[in-house]
Amino acid sequence: NMLGTIHRAINNLYTIVAEDGKTYSCKIKGKKLPLEEYEYNPLAVGDNVEFTPYSDNEGLILSRLDRKSVFRRWNIKLEKNQTIAANMDQVAIVTSAYEPPFRPRFLDRALTCASGCDKIIVMNKCDFDLTEYEFERWALYHKLGYKIIAVSAKTGENIEQLKDLLRGKVTAFVGQSGVGKST
């Protein structure tokens, strides 16, 4: 048996990078993992697993190792937890000053979904002005002790400072569609 980390998860097919750097395409052995708690998806990107290869690049996942951190949301439809990412050092929750508009309630929900890791709140599109009320809400996160940074992918403002916060850390980026996570 070997140990590895899930780097991609699509439709019960997992891309695992083994400790030696080799990549395997794996499925769960028996289609169910022996876990104490039931989740919508028992495996997520970042999970460390034990697996057994059955060819040069394919294998079967036997078990999931303990998680040090998770980003998990409640799946209302199935009434079960859904882990999105695991074992990261920090989560960067990306929001936007404009298109889509700043959504403090989304930030509040996302902050509660991350546990066991540091949290950074990234305001993208800072080249657009927030209203006075929005700015007060944004500044409140800093007062509460969260790391916050305002950046502009378009102008490059504070991008180097963001890179400094990311350097040497495994970071999960989360946020609404259109906020600039990929950029």
Side-chain angles (χ1 to χ4, degrees):
N1 295 345
M2 300 175 71
L3 297 178
T5 302
I6 296 176
H7 280 227
R8 190 172 189 194
I10 298 176
N11 295 335
N12 298 319
L13 189 61
Y14 303 93
T15 302
I16 295 176
V17 176
E19 289 180 308
D20 63 4
K22 191 170 179 191
T23 301
Y24 293 84
S25 180
C26 297
K27 292 183 179 180
I28 298 171
K29 183 177 183 183
K31 297 194 181 192
K32 246 186 166 177
L33 283 178
L35 298 170
E36 289 181 25
E37 61 180 292
Y38 181 74
E39 290 189 62
Y40 172 70
N41 53 338
L43 296 172
V45 170
D47 271 328
N48 296 311
V49 295
E50 181 182 7
F51 71 101
T52 184
Y54 62 80
S55 76
D56 281 348
N57 60 358
E58 295 175 304
L60 294 173
I61 299 170
L62 306 173
S63 65
R64 182 187 81 205
L65 281 61
D66 289 339
R67 293 169 166 161
K68 72 173 187 176
S69 62
V70 293
F71 186 87
R72 176 184 287 156
R73 68 180 177 192
W74 182 250
N75 186 311
I76 295 171
K77 192 174 179 181
L78 297 173
E79 296 185 348
K80 292 176 178 51
N81 280 321
Q82 180 177 7
T83 299
I84 308 301
N87 297 316
M88 57 278 177
D89 300 315
Q90 59 191 8
V91 170
I93 303 167
V94 185
T95 187
S96 167
Y98 179 77
E99 297 294 322
F102 178 53
R103 301 251 191 258
R105 288 182 59 206
F106 172 81
L107 280 178
D108 295 343
R109 287 192 312 271
L111 287 165
T112 64
C113 290
S115 63
C117 60
D118 292 334
K119 300 162 187 106
I120 303 169
I121 303 172
V122 180
M123 170 77 71
N124 192 21
K125 305 179 187 180
C126 72
D127 44 309
F128 291 93
D129 290 332
L130 294 173
T131 66
E132 187 176 334
Y133 171 74
E134 289 171 332
F135 183 80
E136 286 176 12
R137 286 294 304 267
W138 166 246
L140 178 61
Y141 292 102
H142 179 69
K143 289 178 187 172
L144 291 171
Y146 293 104
K147 289 182 200 172
I148 65 171
I149 184 168
V151 302
S152 171
K154 183 177 180 181
T155 68
E157 185 177 344
N158 292 330
I159 294 296
E160 288 306 314
Q161 291 87 334
L162 177 60
K163 287 180 181 179
D164 288 342
L165 291 173
L166 303 176
R167 195 165 283 112
K169 307 239 179 172
V170 174
T171 307
F173 278 77
V174 299
Q176 295 173 287
S177 178
V179 295
K181 296 179 302 288
S182 299
T183 305

